[in-house]
Amino acid sequence: MMTWRQLRNYLKGKVVLVGLTFIDQEGKVIERYQTHGTIAKLTIDGFFKIIREDNSIFRIPYLKETIKKAKEGKYREVSTGETIENPDFIMTWKVKTSDHTDLEEIKRHGYMPVFDYDHANRNYQAGKDDEG
């Protein structure tokens, strides 16, 4: 098992394809969005800073359940038609939103979810948080 520092060093420079599925409050899909870039860093507080080809920065949290190693091959971004060859990782998120202006902001800058401390605290107290 890697330490946090080892993980941060390992992920730096890797290419990641990010897929976001925007859903409304009832769980219906509003839109699917993809982007990709190179991981510039994984911050100490747990956020990826991903540099895209246009040099814009996309931020998204590190959550082990959302990221997996990509199989070798060509991946096509649906929104742009661009082909990404052999990315290192694929990251997928479901983003619940009720505001369409949020969608554009997230696409431009990244996804910074609101952390539910009460939920996390209940899981911790119930002993469910020991899986890491």
Side-chain angles (χ1 to χ4, degrees), residues 42-118:
L42 175 56
T43 64
I44 290 170
D45 58 350
F47 285 89
F48 283 111
K49 183 177 174 185
I50 298 167
I51 307 287
R52 298 189 277 195
E53 286 180 359
D54 65 359
N55 283 327
S56 66
I57 294 168
F58 189 84
R59 286 182 167 71
I60 196 158
Y62 170 79
L63 187 62
K64 194 165 60 175
E65 300 79 49
T66 66
I67 188 168
K68 65 180 186 193
K69 234 173 169 4
K71 292 190 174 101
E72 205 171 296
K74 293 181 181 182
Y75 293 80
R76 188 180 159 99
E77 276 188 21
V78 178
S79 50
T80 63
E82 192 175 346
T83 300
I84 299 91
E85 206 163 323
N86 300 325
D88 297 295
F89 295 97
I90 293 176
M91 186 184 296
T92 55
W93 284 82
K94 274 191 180 165
V95 180
K96 191 180 281 188
T97 184
S98 55
D99 187 348
H100 285 279
T101 57
D102 284 355
L103 267 65
E104 296 310 312
E105 191 65 18
I106 290 168
K107 289 190 230 175
R108 257 196 302 284
H109 301 292
Y111 177 51
M112 307 293 260
V114 177
F115 187 71
D116 183 350
Y117 289 97
D118 289 340

